[in-house]
Every structure is written in structure tokens, then in C-alpha cells.
Amino acid sequence: MRKAATIRDVAARAGVSVSVVSRVLNGTGPVAPAKRVQVLDAIEALAFRPRAAARQLSQGHSDTIGLLLADLTNPFFARLADRVVAEARSRDLQILLMTTQEDPHLEGQALDTLLDRSVGGMIGTPTGHNVERWEKLSALDIPVVFVDRSIAELDQVDVVSIENIDSAATATRHLLDRGHTRIGIISGPLDTTTGVERVQGYEQALRERGVARDDRLVRPAPFRGDHGADVVAQMLALPEPPTGLVVANTAQVRVVLRMLSQARVEIPDDLSVVVFDDNPWTELIRPPLTAVRQPIDMLALHSVELVHARMRQKLPPAPRRVRVPAEFLERASTARR
Amino acid sequence: MRKAATIRDVAARAGVSVSVVSRVLNGTGPVAPAKRVQVLDAIEALAFRPRAAARQLSQGHSDTIGLLLADLTNPFFARLADRVVAEARSRDLQILLMTTQEDPHLEGQALDTLLDRSVGGMIGTPTGHNVERWEKLSALDIPVVFVDRSIAELDQVDVVSIENIDSAATATRHLLDRGHTRIGIISGPLDTTTGVERVQGYEQALRERGVARDDRLVRPAPFRGDHGADVVAQMLALPEPPTGLVVANTAQVRVVLRMLSQARVEIPDDLSVVVFDDNPWTELIRPPLTAVRQPIDMLALHSVELVHARMRQKLPPAPRRVRVPAEFLERASTARR
DNA sequence: TTGTACGCGTTATCAA
DNA sequence: TTGATAACGCGTACAA
């Protein structure tokens, strides 16, 4: 195969200069109607496509946005990726995908790679570390949008997430309403915003009803690994075990359910369970799980829209915090006490 | 923030020429030890990172590989993406992600985007259409590796997949061994290689045991939508309904199980079920599902390794067909008839 | 072992 | 309305 056509080839064939071709390509500047068709014909004939690299080098920025997610094994992030890709395409944006596996070291490497400016913007779920590099991205005028989680210190960064506090409060109230007072919560790590906010919501609901908080029932678990199972096991071994449980750590839902099943804990008879978040497999589990469903398409839509707007500098500099409500789905894993 | 450093800034600061810097950067050619440290120091001090676009423009190819998957909503593809990203990183390759949503039109657009040569290689699950564009990629010397599925006409393209025929035969024999003779199969569309090959394996197993094939029990279903449920419902409404079922269409497993549950079909008492493929949620379903587990890490490893080798022209031109065996997991969704 | 100068493909500036 | 030409940042012959 011979080499692909360049803008010069097109110009030659159309009998015009490269500038004219560039102008019809980008609609930037005047072109005589007659010449325009000649150029278009030449482009067609030579199957010319502008090289992204050359364009990027010339203008300094790219139409590629980096998507840095924790882990595609988690259906929540997988579905988020799916929607982000779709939203990006509809705006002619490309997605460069990386994962952190919740490992700050890997996250750091990924950010370094992105820092070479090959991306025009970033969407990511930060591990909570690498604050300097996230800052540097912003400092380099690369728009950053945090999705799902954020980093408290970085209050200049745009954030798109669900109403974590409200959602956790709703889930907790649902259990309180059904007569439960010993309610456990497995959250994400307390150095993540989702972790702390969901615990806040839980505490708020308890406070409303005058139920005392028991430290032994409020337990964070790492996103990776099977630690969530141990934590729940410990709760259940308490002298006064919980009768209700909120699994607010999306990544640990599966692990916790497996442990419960192995330990022959009957749901909801022995234990009422609410989980974050809902995924298509949730309804196949017996009993179908009461869940907080995150509006993933909204999260994706706003994230992409936000970086896109920033990339075109269509937005005032003030950081945006988009919080979308989550839906509460009552199914069969929760019952009256 | 002032502009990022270029290779010239580094050269100036280190008191050498750009070529020296380039050489220490790429290890291409000799550099005096003393100057090397000066350069390294300058790079450090200026936080210099070579611009990917400039490098790509200069050398003509990129370290980015396009990953074109059907749909990240399907846990199989999601986990595949997760592993591909990991394998790519360990080789300093970037992943540009796109999805087809099983739509040939979207696939075509995605391929056009990739055709502008911004990618150095491609890994994808083709829909079966857009043959010309896949061909053109190869013709442009962009290495292409099909994973999971392939396109029969494109026999010059590398393929990495599981042993589809064997796997389906094993699944079918498992049911035959347990006394089932009325065995249904839901496959993928018959214009996909996974669809036809798995049906072939099914037929082969039946033939071995002298069981006649019944057309009404061999039904393809599209990957998207809920059509698989209808097809199974039709099978079960037959005068002589099947007592065993192979769900060979990964994307329809969930849909089929939901329908079975709603129709109050008892598994395995009324119907023994084997599914492609195993995902972490499968074991939480009651009863735990007998499944064909695809070695996703192997699929990812070989795919990335293959494109990478081709990108460095480390391989003889003959197309490679890597077929990895799948694991058969007997759980509780299959029983003697 | 080092440095100069040019090419990669596109956009942008500016004079015609 | 058009066309030369200078960036953009890096790799690399080729000359020194």
C-alpha cells in the first residue's frame, strides 16, 4: 500500500494551495464555491483524512479525553465507561482509557502518561492520592472532571456525583422505618468522598430518629479484595448483631453477599440488606435486592459535557459541582423486624 | 502556568544539542556519561515530557492501540477491557477505547476515526460487517487482531479466541451424559463466528451420541435486546420441550435467566442449564450456574502481545490464530434427567 | 561523540 | 479570496 494522502496531495490534485484545503476542512475563512467542490472532490478521490497527530501538534491541544477509572471489573465503572464512550463519540471526542485498580502507584503512572499533554481533558475517579499530579493537570490548563468521587483538597476541580448523603440517609431510613435499630454500614475507605459522605448520610438518619451510633456497626472496607466479608462477619459475631445492613461500598457488594450466603444468613429474615448500587444482575439474586440505583447515564452525560465545555472554554472558571439524585428501589431483601 | 518545556529547553539547560537529548531519551546512539547526567538533570528540573503528538508525527506511527469492543455493559467485554488495559500498560501502550454496541453503522464510524492512522494497531470484536474497512486497516499496515470473534472472509487477520467448538461440545456432552436428549441451544447470530462455531460443537456432540438434531431447538438470538427470552419461551412451549439448555450467547444469559425465573421454571428440576460465560455474579444466582469459563486474561494477554509484536514487526507475515481452551465448571444448574 | 538542519502534516499569519 | 511561509516538537541523517 502506498502512503496515505496528505493535505499537499489534495491541494495539488485540486489545483489550489494547502491553505485553501485547510480552510474548507475547518470552515475557517473564505473559499470560492468553485474551488470548494474541486477540493472536496480531491479529498474524496484520494480518501484523504487529516492526521490527528499533525493537527494536534499544530494547535497544541487534542480532541482526546483521558478516562481514568478504578476498575472495569466493577459493573458500575464498566457501565459508566460504556456511557462515557457513547457521549464522547456524539461529540467527536476520543477516549483514552486507563485504570488505577485502586492503586495510587498505578494512578500516578497513568497521570504521568496523561501529563504529556496528549489529552485535552480528563475524567476520572481519583484514589485520593496523587494530589500534586491532579493539581498539575489543572495547572497545565487541562480540564479535569472527577466523577463518582472527588478529592476534598482539590476544591477547584469540577465534580459529578450522586447525592451520596441523601442516598445513604434514604437507605438507612428505609431500615429504620421497618423497625430496625441495630443497623450496620459497610462504607468505602474513609479517605474517599463516597466513603465519608455515605457514612454522614447514615449518621444523619440515625440522629433524626434518636438512634445511637455504635462504632462497631460503622465499618469501612477497601474497594479491592475480600475484606468486606470479614467486616460483616465481625458485625454478625457481635453480642448484639445488626438486623439491618447497608452495603455502601459498591465494590464489596458481591463479596458480602457471597459471605452471607455461605454463612447461611437468611435475607431478609435474619438480616435486611440494602446495597449500593443496582446492576442488571442484582435482580437475579434471590431475594432480589433493595438497592440505590445510580443514574449512570446522567453521570456520564454531565461529565463529558463538562470537560467538553471546558475544552472549548465555554464556561466561567468557577468549579462546577453537579450532584444528581439517585433512585431508591425497594425489592425483597428488606423486611420488618 | 507558563508553557511546558520542549526538548530544546532541555538541550539549552544541559548545554548540549537536541540530538544528544533525543539520544538519551530513546537510548539510540552514543552519549558521553558526563553529558548524560547533565541531560537527565535538566529533564528532571524542567519536568520535561516528550509530546506524544510530535513523536508520532515524526516517526509516522503511534504507541496507541485502538480497542473496539461490542459493549461494556456485558461483563465479559468489561473484564476483557480491564485486562487489555493492564497488559497494554505493562508494555507502555495506550488504549483508545470505542464501542460498536453491535451496530455496524457505529462500527463503521469508529473504524473511520481509527483509519486516520492515529492508532498503531487495533484489537476488536467485529460485528461481521464493514469488511472493507477492516481490510483497509490491514492494507495501511496497521496490525489488526480480532478477539473473541472474527470475520471468515478476512483470513489474513490474526485471531485470538477460545476453542468455541470444543467448549460447546463439552457443554452439550455434559447434558447428554446426564440423560438429556432434548437439548436446546441459544447461540449468537449465525453471521458471527462464535454463533456458528458453538452450534457446530453442539451438533458434533449430538452426532457422536446419535441424537437427531431438531431445528426448533437450535435458535440464534441477537446480542442486543431481549430476544433470547422469546426464543426460549418458544422452545418451552413446544409439544416436546427441551429438558436441557445451552445458553451459548453470553449477552443473552441474563435475559434468559430472568425469563426462566419469571416463568417459574425450576432449575435444574424442570430444565438443566449451562451458560457461556462465567462472571463473578454467576455464583450468587440460585442455583449456582454450570458454566463455560473463558480465560479472559489469556485472551487479553495474547491479543496485546500479538499487536505489540506486529507493531514492532517482530513476526512473520503469516496470520496467527491463537485458540485458548475454556474451562468447564460444573455447578448446580444441571442434573440427571 | 556531537551538533546542524531538515522532514513529518497541519494550522495560522499576513501580504498580495 | 488566495497562496507562501513560519511555526508546532521531535527524530535522525549527515557532516564535523
Side-chain angles (χ1 to χ4, degrees), chain B residues 46-112:
Chain B
L46 270 46
F48 167 75
R49 316 211 81 225
R51 238 59 94 245
R55 175 173 277 167
Q56 176 177 340
L57 183 58
S58 170
Q59 333 190 110
H61 52 248
S62 97
D63 61 349
T64 300
I65 94 183
L67 179 62
L68 182 54
L69 296 178
D71 168 15
L72 257 24
T73 277
N74 181 333
F76 170 65
F77 293 123
R79 289 184 298 149
L80 183 59
D82 194 70
R83 297 333 300 158
V84 166
V85 167
E87 293 291 346
R89 165 168 34 216
S90 73
R91 292 170 178 75
D92 271 312
L93 261 23
Q94 310 308 318
I95 293 293
L96 206 53
L97 176 68
M98 318 201 76
T99 58
T100 66
Q101 311 295 347
E102 304 288 6
D103 176 345
H105 184 65
L106 288 184
E107 181 187 39
Q109 288 185 350
L111 289 175
D112 277 345

Coordinates of all heavy atoms in Angstrom, one line a residue, chain B residues 46-112:
Chain B
L46 N 13.3 20.5 34.6 CA 12.2 21.2 33.8 C 10.9 20.3 33.7 O 10.0 20.7 33.1 CB 12.7 21.4 32.4 CG 13.5 22.7 32.1 CD1 14.4 23.1 33.2 CD2 14.2 22.7 30.8
A47 N 11.0 19.2 34.4 CA 9.8 18.3 34.3 C 9.4 18.1 32.9 O 8.2 18.1 32.5 CB 8.7 18.8 35.1
F48 N 10.4 17.8 32.1 CA 10.2 17.6 30.6 C 9.6 16.3 30.3 O 10.0 15.3 30.8 CB 11.5 17.8 29.8 CG 11.4 17.4 28.4 CD1 10.7 18.1 27.5 CD2 11.9 16.2 28.0 CE1 10.6 17.7 26.2 CE2 11.9 15.7 26.7 CZ 11.2 16.5 25.8
R49 N 8.6 16.3 29.4 CA 8.0 15.1 28.9 C 7.8 15.2 27.4 O 7.1 16.2 27.0 CB 6.7 14.7 29.6 CG 6.6 14.9 31.1 CD 5.6 13.9 31.7 NE 6.2 12.7 31.8 CZ 5.7 11.5 31.5 NH1 4.5 11.5 31.0 NH2 6.3 10.4 31.7
P50 N 8.3 14.3 26.6 CA 8.2 14.5 25.2 C 6.7 14.5 24.8 O 5.9 13.7 25.3 CB 8.9 13.3 24.6 CG 9.3 12.4 25.8 CD 9.1 13.2 27.0
R51 N 6.3 15.3 23.9 CA 5.0 15.4 23.4 C 4.7 14.2 22.5 O 5.4 14.0 21.5 CB 4.8 16.7 22.6 CG 3.7 17.6 23.1 CD 3.8 18.0 24.6 NE 4.5 19.3 24.7 CZ 5.7 19.5 25.3 NH1 6.3 18.4 25.8 NH2 6.2 20.6 25.5
A52 N 3.7 13.4 22.8 CA 3.4 12.2 22.1 C 3.1 12.6 20.6 O 3.5 11.9 19.7 CB 2.2 11.5 22.7
A53 N 2.4 13.7 20.4 CA 2.0 14.1 19.0 C 3.2 14.3 18.2 O 3.2 13.9 17.0 CB 1.1 15.3 19.1
A54 N 4.1 15.0 18.7 CA 5.3 15.4 17.9 C 6.1 14.1 17.6 O 6.5 13.9 16.4 CB 6.2 16.3 18.7
R55 N 6.2 13.3 18.5 CA 6.9 12.0 18.3 C 6.2 11.2 17.2 O 6.8 10.7 16.3 CB 7.0 11.2 19.6 CG 7.6 9.8 19.5 CD 7.7 9.2 20.8 NE 8.9 9.6 21.5 CZ 9.2 9.4 22.8 NH1 8.3 8.8 23.5 NH2 10.3 9.8 23.3
Q56 N 4.9 11.1 17.4 CA 4.2 10.3 16.4 C 4.3 10.9 15.0 O 4.4 10.2 14.0 CB 2.7 10.3 16.8 CG 1.8 9.6 15.8 CD 0.4 9.6 16.4 OE1 0.1 9.7 17.6 NE2 -0.6 9.4 15.5
L57 N 4.2 12.2 14.9 CA 4.2 12.9 13.6 C 5.6 12.6 12.9 O 5.7 12.3 11.8 CB 4.1 14.4 13.8 CG 4.0 15.2 12.5 CD1 2.9 14.7 11.6 CD2 3.9 16.7 12.8
S58 N 6.6 12.6 13.8 CA 7.9 12.4 13.3 C 8.2 11.0 12.8 O 8.8 10.8 11.7 CB 8.9 12.8 14.3 OG 10.2 12.4 14.0
Q59 N 7.8 10.1 13.6 CA 8.1 8.7 13.2 C 7.0 8.0 12.4 O 7.2 6.9 11.9 CB 8.3 7.8 14.5 CG 8.8 8.5 15.7 CD 9.2 7.4 16.7 OE1 10.3 7.3 17.0 NE2 8.2 6.7 17.2
G60 N 5.9 8.6 12.3 CA 4.8 8.0 11.5 C 3.9 7.1 12.1 O 2.8 6.7 11.6
H61 N 4.3 6.5 13.3 CA 3.3 5.6 13.9 C 3.2 5.9 15.4 O 4.0 6.6 16.0 CB 3.8 4.2 13.7 CG 5.2 3.9 14.1 ND1 6.2 3.6 13.2 CD2 5.8 4.0 15.3 CE1 7.3 3.5 13.9 NE2 7.1 3.7 15.1
S62 N 2.2 5.4 16.0 CA 1.9 5.8 17.4 C 1.9 4.6 18.3 O 1.9 3.4 17.9 CB 0.5 6.5 17.5 OG -0.5 5.6 17.8
D63 N 2.0 4.8 19.6 CA 2.0 3.8 20.6 C 0.6 3.5 21.1 O 0.5 3.0 22.2 CB 3.0 4.1 21.7 CG 2.5 5.4 22.4 OD1 1.6 6.1 21.9 OD2 3.1 5.7 23.5
T64 N -0.4 4.0 20.4 CA -1.7 3.9 20.9 C -2.4 2.7 20.1 O -2.3 2.7 18.9 CB -2.5 5.2 20.6 OG1 -1.9 6.2 21.4 CG2 -3.9 5.0 21.1
I65 N -3.1 1.9 20.8 CA -3.8 0.9 20.1 C -5.3 1.0 20.3 O -5.8 1.3 21.4 CB -3.3 -0.6 20.4 CG1 -4.1 -1.3 21.5 CG2 -1.8 -0.5 20.8 CD1 -3.5 -2.6 21.8
G66 N -6.0 0.9 19.2 CA -7.5 1.1 19.3 C -8.1 -0.2 19.8 O -7.8 -1.3 19.4
L67 N -9.0 -0.1 20.8 CA -9.7 -1.2 21.3 C -11.2 -1.0 21.0 O -11.8 -0.1 21.5 CB -9.5 -1.4 22.8 CG -10.3 -2.5 23.5 CD1 -9.8 -3.9 23.0 CD2 -10.1 -2.5 25.0
L68 N -11.7 -1.9 20.1 CA -13.1 -1.7 19.6 C -13.9 -2.8 20.1 O -13.9 -3.9 19.5 CB -13.1 -1.6 18.1 CG -14.5 -1.3 17.4 CD1 -15.2 -0.1 18.0 CD2 -14.3 -1.1 15.9
L69 N -14.7 -2.6 21.2 CA -15.5 -3.7 21.7 C -16.9 -3.5 21.5 O -17.4 -2.4 21.2 CB -15.2 -3.8 23.2 CG -13.8 -4.2 23.6 CD1 -13.6 -4.2 25.2 CD2 -13.4 -5.5 23.0
A70 N -17.7 -4.6 21.6 CA -19.1 -4.6 21.3 C -19.8 -3.7 22.3 O -20.6 -2.8 22.0 CB -19.7 -6.0 21.4
D71 N -19.5 -3.8 23.6 CA -20.5 -3.3 24.6 C -19.9 -3.5 26.0 O -19.7 -4.7 26.4 CB -21.7 -4.1 24.4 CG -22.7 -4.0 25.5 OD1 -22.6 -3.0 26.3 OD2 -23.6 -4.8 25.6
L72 N -19.6 -2.5 26.8 CA -19.0 -2.7 28.1 C -20.0 -3.1 29.1 O -19.7 -3.3 30.3 CB -18.3 -1.4 28.5 CG -16.8 -1.3 28.4 CD1 -16.3 -2.3 27.4 CD2 -16.3 0.0 28.0
T73 N -21.3 -3.1 28.8 CA -22.3 -3.5 29.7 C -22.3 -5.0 29.9 O -22.8 -5.5 30.9 CB -23.7 -3.1 29.0 OG1 -23.9 -1.7 29.3 CG2 -24.8 -3.9 29.5
N74 N -21.8 -5.7 29.0 CA -21.6 -7.2 29.1 C -20.3 -7.4 29.9 O -19.2 -7.0 29.5 CB -21.5 -7.7 27.7 CG -21.3 -9.2 27.6 OD1 -20.8 -9.8 28.6 ND2 -21.7 -9.8 26.6
P75 N -20.5 -8.1 31.0 CA -19.3 -8.3 31.9 C -18.1 -9.0 31.2 O -17.0 -8.7 31.6 CB -19.9 -9.2 33.0 CG -21.3 -9.0 33.0 CD -21.7 -8.7 31.6
F76 N -18.4 -9.8 30.2 CA -17.3 -10.4 29.5 C -16.4 -9.4 28.8 O -15.2 -9.4 29.0 CB -17.9 -11.4 28.4 CG -16.8 -11.9 27.5 CD1 -15.8 -12.7 28.0 CD2 -16.9 -11.6 26.2 CE1 -14.8 -13.2 27.1 CE2 -15.9 -12.0 25.3 CZ -14.9 -12.9 25.7
F77 N -17.0 -8.5 28.1 CA -16.2 -7.4 27.4 C -15.6 -6.5 28.4 O -14.5 -6.0 28.2 CB -17.1 -6.7 26.4 CG -17.5 -7.5 25.3 CD1 -18.9 -7.7 25.0 CD2 -16.6 -8.2 24.5 CE1 -19.3 -8.5 23.9 CE2 -17.0 -9.0 23.4 CZ -18.3 -9.1 23.1
A78 N -16.3 -6.2 29.5 CA -15.8 -5.3 30.5 C -14.5 -5.9 31.1 O -13.5 -5.2 31.3 CB -16.8 -5.0 31.6
R79 N -14.6 -7.1 31.5 CA -13.4 -7.7 32.1 C -12.3 -7.9 31.0 O -11.1 -7.7 31.4 CB -13.7 -9.1 32.7 CG -14.6 -9.0 33.9 CD -14.9 -10.3 34.6 NE -15.6 -11.2 33.7 CZ -15.5 -12.5 33.6 NH1 -14.7 -13.1 34.5 NH2 -16.2 -13.2 32.8
L80 N -12.7 -8.1 29.8 CA -11.7 -8.1 28.7 C -11.0 -6.8 28.6 O -9.7 -6.7 28.6 CB -12.3 -8.5 27.4 CG -11.4 -8.7 26.2 CD1 -10.4 -9.8 26.4 CD2 -12.2 -9.0 25.0
A81 N -11.8 -5.7 28.6 CA -11.2 -4.4 28.6 C -10.2 -4.1 29.7 O -9.1 -3.6 29.6 CB -12.3 -3.3 28.6
D82 N -10.7 -4.6 30.9 CA -9.8 -4.4 32.1 C -8.5 -5.0 31.9 O -7.4 -4.4 32.2 CB -10.6 -5.0 33.3 CG -9.9 -4.5 34.6 OD1 -10.1 -3.4 35.0 OD2 -9.3 -5.4 35.3
R83 N -8.4 -6.2 31.4 CA -7.2 -6.9 31.3 C -6.4 -6.4 30.1 O -5.1 -6.3 30.2 CB -7.4 -8.4 31.0 CG -8.1 -9.2 32.2 CD -7.8 -8.6 33.5 NE -6.4 -8.5 33.9 CZ -5.9 -7.7 34.8 NH1 -6.7 -6.9 35.5 NH2 -4.7 -7.8 35.1
V84 N -7.0 -6.0 29.0 CA -6.3 -5.4 27.9 C -5.6 -4.1 28.3 O -4.4 -3.9 28.0 CB -7.2 -5.1 26.7 CG1 -6.6 -4.3 25.7 CG2 -7.7 -6.5 26.1
V85 N -6.3 -3.3 29.1 CA -5.7 -2.1 29.6 C -4.5 -2.4 30.4 O -3.4 -1.7 30.3 CB -6.7 -1.3 30.4 CG1 -6.0 -0.2 31.2 CG2 -7.8 -0.7 29.5
A86 N -4.6 -3.4 31.3 CA -3.4 -3.7 32.1 C -2.3 -4.2 31.3 O -1.1 -3.8 31.5 CB -3.9 -4.8 33.1
E87 N -2.5 -5.1 30.4 CA -1.5 -5.7 29.5 C -0.8 -4.6 28.7 O 0.4 -4.6 28.5 CB -2.0 -6.8 28.6 CG -2.5 -8.0 29.3 CD -1.3 -8.8 29.9 OE1 -0.1 -8.5 29.6 OE2 -1.6 -9.7 30.7
A88 N -1.6 -3.7 28.2 CA -1.1 -2.6 27.4 C -0.2 -1.7 28.2 O 0.9 -1.4 27.8 CB -2.3 -1.8 26.8
R89 N -0.6 -1.4 29.4 CA 0.2 -0.5 30.3 C 1.6 -1.1 30.5 O 2.6 -0.5 30.5 CB -0.4 -0.2 31.6 CG 0.7 0.3 32.5 CD 0.1 0.9 33.8 NE -1.0 0.2 34.3 CZ -2.0 0.8 34.9 NH1 -2.0 2.1 35.0 NH2 -3.0 0.1 35.3
S90 N 1.6 -2.4 30.8 CA 2.9 -3.1 31.1 C 3.8 -3.0 29.9 O 5.0 -3.4 30.0 CB 2.7 -4.5 31.6 OG 2.3 -5.3 30.5
R91 N 3.3 -2.7 28.7 CA 4.1 -2.6 27.5 C 4.2 -1.1 27.1 O 4.6 -0.8 25.9 CB 3.5 -3.4 26.4 CG 3.6 -4.9 26.7 CD 2.8 -5.7 25.6 NE 2.9 -7.1 25.8 CZ 2.3 -7.8 26.8 NH1 1.6 -7.1 27.7 NH2 2.5 -9.1 26.9
D92 N 3.8 -0.2 27.9 CA 3.8 1.2 27.6 C 3.0 1.6 26.3 O 3.4 2.4 25.5 CB 5.3 1.7 27.3 CG 5.9 2.1 28.6 OD1 5.3 2.9 29.4 OD2 7.0 1.7 29.0
L93 N 1.9 0.9 26.2 CA 1.0 1.2 25.1 C -0.3 1.8 25.7 O -0.7 1.5 26.8 CB 0.6 -0.2 24.4 CG 1.3 -0.7 23.2 CD1 2.7 -0.1 23.0 CD2 1.4 -2.2 23.2
Q94 N -0.8 2.7 24.9 CA -2.1 3.4 25.3 C -3.3 2.7 24.7 O -3.1 2.1 23.6 CB -2.0 4.8 25.0 CG -0.8 5.6 25.4 CD -0.5 5.3 26.9 OE1 -1.3 5.3 27.7 NE2 0.8 5.1 27.2
I95 N -4.4 2.8 25.3 CA -5.6 2.2 24.7 C -6.7 3.3 24.4 O -7.1 4.0 25.3 CB -6.3 1.3 25.7 CG1 -5.4 0.0 25.9 CG2 -7.6 0.8 25.2 CD1 -5.2 -0.8 24.7
L96 N -7.0 3.3 23.1 CA -8.1 4.2 22.7 C -9.3 3.3 22.6 O -9.4 2.4 21.8 CB -7.7 4.8 21.3 CG -8.3 6.1 20.9 CD1 -8.1 7.2 21.9 CD2 -7.8 6.5 19.6
L97 N -10.3 3.7 23.4 CA -11.5 2.8 23.5 C -12.7 3.2 22.7 O -13.1 4.4 22.8 CB -11.9 2.7 25.0 CG -13.2 1.8 25.3 CD1 -12.9 0.4 25.0 CD2 -13.6 2.1 26.7
M98 N -13.3 2.3 22.0 CA -14.5 2.6 21.3 C -15.5 1.4 21.4 O -15.0 0.3 21.6 CB -14.3 2.9 19.8 CG -13.1 3.8 19.6 SD -13.1 4.6 18.0 CE -14.3 5.9 18.4
T99 N -16.8 1.6 21.3 CA -17.7 0.5 21.3 C -18.6 0.5 20.1 O -18.9 1.6 19.5 CB -18.6 0.5 22.6 OG1 -19.3 1.7 22.6 CG2 -17.8 0.4 23.8
T100 N -19.0 -0.6 19.7 CA -19.9 -0.7 18.5 C -21.3 -0.8 18.9 O -22.2 -0.6 18.0 CB -19.6 -2.0 17.6 OG1 -19.9 -3.1 18.4 CG2 -18.1 -2.0 17.3
Q101 N -21.6 -1.2 20.1 CA -23.0 -1.5 20.5 C -23.6 -2.5 19.5 O -24.8 -2.5 19.3 CB -23.8 -0.2 20.6 CG -23.2 0.9 21.4 CD -23.0 0.6 22.9 OE1 -23.5 -0.4 23.4 NE2 -22.2 1.4 23.6
E102 N -22.8 -3.3 18.9 CA -23.2 -4.3 17.9 C -23.9 -3.7 16.7 O -24.6 -4.3 16.0 CB -24.2 -5.3 18.6 CG -23.7 -6.0 19.8 CD -22.6 -7.1 19.5 OE1 -22.2 -7.1 18.3 OE2 -22.2 -7.8 20.4
D103 N -23.6 -2.4 16.5 CA -24.3 -1.7 15.4 C -23.2 -1.5 14.3 O -22.3 -0.7 14.5 CB -24.8 -0.4 15.9 CG -25.4 0.5 14.8 OD1 -25.2 0.2 13.6 OD2 -26.1 1.4 15.2
P104 N -23.4 -2.1 13.1 CA -22.5 -2.0 12.0 C -22.2 -0.5 11.7 O -21.1 -0.2 11.3 CB -23.1 -2.7 10.9 CG -24.0 -3.7 11.5 CD -24.5 -3.0 12.8
H105 N -23.2 0.3 11.8 CA -23.0 1.7 11.4 C -22.1 2.4 12.4 O -21.1 3.1 12.0 CB -24.4 2.4 11.4 CG -24.3 3.8 11.0 ND1 -24.0 4.2 9.7 CD2 -24.5 5.0 11.7 CE1 -23.9 5.5 9.6 NE2 -24.3 6.0 10.8
L106 N -22.3 2.2 13.7 CA -21.4 2.7 14.7 C -20.0 2.2 14.5 O -19.0 2.9 14.6 CB -21.9 2.5 16.1 CG -23.1 3.2 16.5 CD1 -23.4 2.9 18.0 CD2 -22.9 4.7 16.3
E107 N -19.9 0.9 14.2 CA -18.6 0.3 14.0 C -17.9 0.9 12.8 O -16.7 1.2 12.9 CB -18.8 -1.2 13.7 CG -17.5 -1.9 13.5 CD -17.6 -3.4 13.0 OE1 -18.6 -3.6 12.2 OE2 -16.9 -4.3 13.4
G108 N -18.7 1.2 11.8 CA -18.1 1.9 10.6 C -17.5 3.2 10.9 O -16.4 3.5 10.6
Q109 N -18.3 4.0 11.7 CA -17.8 5.3 12.1 C -16.5 5.2 12.9 O -15.5 5.9 12.7 CB -18.8 6.0 12.9 CG -20.0 6.5 12.2 CD -21.0 7.3 13.1 OE1 -20.8 7.3 14.3 NE2 -21.9 8.0 12.5
A110 N -16.5 4.3 13.8 CA -15.3 4.1 14.7 C -14.1 3.7 13.9 O -13.0 4.3 14.1 CB -15.6 3.0 15.7
L111 N -14.3 2.8 12.9 CA -13.2 2.4 12.1 C -12.7 3.6 11.2 O -11.5 3.8 11.0 CB -13.6 1.3 11.2 CG -13.8 0.0 11.9 CD1 -14.3 -1.1 11.0 CD2 -12.5 -0.5 12.6
D112 N -13.6 4.4 10.8 CA -13.2 5.6 10.0 C -12.3 6.5 10.9 O -11.2 7.0 10.5 CB -14.4 6.4 9.6 CG -15.0 5.9 8.3 OD1 -14.3 5.0 7.7 OD2 -16.1 6.2 8.0

